[in-house]
Amino acid sequence: MPSYKLTYFNGRGRAEVSRLIFAAAGQKYEDVRYEFDQWPAHKAEMLLGQMPVLEVDGVKLPQSAAIARFLAKQFHLAGKDNFEQAKVDAAVDTIYDIYKTWAPSRFGEDPVKKEALSKKFFGEELPKQLQNLETLGKLYGNGGHFFVGNQLTWADLFFHTITETLLGINADCLNNFPWLKDNRAEVEKQPKIAEYLKNRPRTEL
């Protein structure tokens, strides 16, 4: 089996979906976590000068989406055939839409503008995107609780990790989306995922 090393900050962020994939697969890997004040000393070591970086037998792979998609395919969490993989990618891309609209209110510098953008995001934009996700889950999930084919894929893991942060800001944001709430609960019932969530480092983000 290949050896795996995943390097990122000591937080969930853009690496947590890959950590969840490793957990679901029961795959051992080296989980390297840098504190933010350690980052400048290691930036030059990173391919493209950014994290996360996955090393597979010493070969480095950058970009969080490429890493997660590779790992999902490697451990059979990307869909059973090409069309199922496309359905998973459709769900994942819709989750990335949440990231794109959320980022200005999350990382902007003007606190007044950030507050206004956050209010608009949680009040208007997020509900639309969550409805899109619930539509896809009901369409592709074959009547089950997972996004595609009534089996766990990395779309479910990705949704779990982004909504963990969203729920930390607005605990009610999923209240009108029962299918999505059930999806999160089903992910947390998976024994390997439950064990990982219980034992992982506690971080704010």
Side-chain angles (χ1 to χ4, degrees), residues 97-111 113-118 121 125:
D97 287 342
I98 295 176
Y99 264 120
K100 293 172 188 174
T101 55
W102 184 27
S105 67
R106 188 70 174 162
F107 302 111
E109 295 182 1
D110 184 334
K113 187 175 182 180
K114 279 175 64 176
E115 184 177 352
L117 288 171
S118 182
F121 172 74
E125 295 166 343

Side-chain angles (χ1 to χ4, degrees), residues 9 34-44 46 49-51:
F9 294 108
Y34 291 132
E35 301 298 337
F36 285 102
D37 60 0
Q38 296 176 298
W39 170 234
H42 294 280
K43 184 174 182 179
M46 297 300 127
Q50 62 191 34
M51 298 191 292

Side-chain angles (χ1 to χ4, degrees), residues 46-144:
M46 297 300 127
L47 194 60
L48 310 186
Q50 62 191 34
M51 298 191 292
V53 169
L54 176 70
E55 292 184 44
V56 182
D57 290 337
V59 180
K60 295 180 179 179
L61 178 69
Q63 299 289 4
S64 57
I67 292 168
R69 188 170 284 109
F70 162 73
L71 292 174
K73 290 179 179 179
Q74 188 81 338
F75 302 124
H76 310 292
L77 292 166
K80 291 183 294 186
D81 55 39
N82 287 341
F83 196 40
E84 276 204 357
Q85 288 182 16
K87 293 173 183 177
V88 171
D89 283 344
V92 166
D93 288 350
T94 305
I95 297 167
Y96 272 115
D97 287 342
I98 295 176
Y99 264 120
K100 293 172 188 174
T101 55
W102 184 27
S105 67
R106 188 70 174 162
F107 302 111
E109 295 182 1
D110 184 334
V112 175
K113 187 175 182 180
K114 279 175 64 176
E115 184 177 352
L117 288 171
S118 182
K119 184 176 181 180
K120 181 179 180 182
F121 172 74
F122 281 100
E124 300 176 22
E125 295 166 343
L126 181 60
K128 293 177 184 176
Q129 291 161 340
L130 292 175
Q131 184 58 63
N132 288 342
L133 281 170
E134 186 146 304
T135 296
L136 291 180
K138 290 177 178 178
L139 179 63
Y140 296 149
N142 294 349

